[in-house]
Amino acid sequence: MKKIISASVATAFIGAGSLLLGYQAGATHSNTSSAERSRVAMSDSVSRDAIEKTVRDYLIKNPEIIAEAQHALEIKQAEAEKAHIADIIASNKDRLYDPEHDVVFGNPDADVTVIEFFDYNCGYCKRALPDMQAILKNDPNVRFVMKEFPILGPDSMRSHLVAQAFKSMMPEKYAEFHDLLLSKSERATEASAIADAVALGADEKQLRDKMQDPVIRSAFENTYQLASQLNITGTPSYIIGSELIPGAVGAAELIDRIATLRAEAKN
């Protein structure tokens, strides 16, 4: 990708030189006869080749200019993408927390909200579970909004259907169920999730009936739509304030982002 960007930057430099020449030539052509324009056009072609060669030779001798331009371009693109994501987050503020389907861990009235998109079969989500637990243990003014985002195949989809059905039936035990599924090293399936739910007191028949509720399925559609708008393609992915933070970045990074958000709120 960087090689492609570098080539584009170099081409832009050369093109800019040619564009400048074209502008100057255009100004000249507007005040000349047809024969004179033909002569000037031939001269322009030679001059254009000369300018392109001069620019190319200069860039080869001073490649750090391309690197500087590329770096500036990458920063500009990253800032534009960050602003775009912030706009999407702001316009979907209400949808990012669906109280009917998204569970909250921690203080419901916390001053900082961390939204986490997760999949029960995501190895990185399993490793991120202790990060959330540590933050909640040490900071009583943070809440995690958990958005179930099953993207790792049919097993994930079915196990998350079980989770949503279980939460609607036994919300007081969902946290225990959640920790149980994410703490296991083996892959979560419909069968294993139902077994865990039954072990926690759920009635299997009622659970299976609840899994057919179209309202539950619509909750996943809402999450998929949000993820698509935010260009979230992996789990875990976090939202803190107006920032999207992809990947299992670790407790220290999340704590730093939380502190930054609080500092910005004070200013």
Side-chain angles (χ1 to χ4, degrees):
M1 174 61 80
K2 286 191 175 182
K3 290 182 179 179
I4 294 174
I5 294 176
S6 295
S8 299
V9 171
T11 302
F13 274 115
I14 295 171
S18 297
L19 183 63
L20 177 60
L21 176 66
Y23 174 78
Q24 294 171 333
T28 301
H29 288 185
S30 64
N31 297 313
T32 58
S33 65
S34 177
E36 181 65 14
R37 283 199 296 270
S38 296
R39 185 189 68 76
V40 172
M42 292 180 62
S43 175
D44 287 347
S45 178
V46 174
S47 298
R48 184 176 293 105
D49 291 342
I51 287 177
E52 290 181 354
K53 183 179 185 305
T54 299
V55 174
R56 185 179 293 107
D57 290 345
Y58 181 78
L59 292 176
I60 290 173
K61 292 178 181 178
N62 301 275
E64 66 277 4
I65 292 177
I66 296 178
E68 291 172 6
Q70 177 179 313
H71 181 62
L73 176 61
E74 290 173 349
I75 291 176
K76 185 176 182 179
Q77 290 174 334
E79 290 176 345
E81 177 64 16
K82 185 176 180 180
H84 177 61
I85 292 296
D87 287 342
I88 294 173
I89 291 172
S91 61
N92 288 280
K93 195 170 183 179
D94 293 337
R95 293 178 66 201
L96 282 168
Y97 172 45
D98 177 359
E100 185 176 358
H101 300 104
D102 299 336
V103 71
V104 171
F105 294 143
N107 181 358
D109 301 316
D111 69 335
V112 173
T113 297
V114 179
I115 297 171
E116 179 181 345
F117 290 72
F118 75 98
D119 184 314
Y120 280 121
N121 282 315
C122 166
Y124 293 104
C125 296
K126 293 177 185 291
R127 283 178 241 172
L129 177 61
D131 297 334
M132 179 187 72
Q133 293 171 334
I135 291 171
L136 294 179
K137 180 180 179 180
N138 294 299
D139 191 334
N141 214 15
V142 170
R143 71 172 184 165
F144 274 72
V145 171
M146 308 303 295
K147 297 200 76 67
E148 298 193 32
F149 186 42
I151 56 173
L152 298 176
D155 283 343
S156 288
M157 185 70 245
R158 300 300 297 178
S159 61
H160 276 274
L161 280 171
V162 176
Q164 279 288 317
F166 180 81
K167 185 176 74 66
S168 67
M169 292 170 56
M170 305 178 68
E172 73 283 358
K173 288 194 174 183
Y174 177 81
E176 190 176 351
F177 177 86
H178 175 84
D179 290 355
L180 188 58
L181 258 64
L182 276 183
S183 297
K184 291 182 176 181
S185 58
E186 63 266 23
R187 189 171 181 78
T189 64
E190 177 180 324
S192 68
I194 287 178
D196 289 338
V198 171
L200 291 173
D203 179 274
E204 183 172 346
K205 183 180 184 308
Q206 291 179 5
L207 188 68
R208 290 185 179 278
D209 289 344
K210 192 64 179 178
M211 287 170 61
Q212 306 306 314
D213 188 343
V215 174
I216 289 178
R217 295 177 181 272
S218 69
F220 292 118
E221 293 174 5
N222 177 61
T223 301
Y224 291 139
Q225 289 171 3
L226 284 170
S228 177
Q229 291 181 53
L230 292 164
N231 198 28
I232 294 175
T233 57
T235 52
S237 287
Y238 302 93
I239 293 174
I240 300 178
S242 62
E243 283 193 274
L244 173 64
I245 307 164
V249 295
E253 176 67 18
L254 294 176
I255 291 169
D256 182 64
R257 299 294 183 102
I258 291 169
T260 299
L261 184 62
R262 283 178 173 149
E264 290 173 351
K266 289 180 179 179
N267 296 332

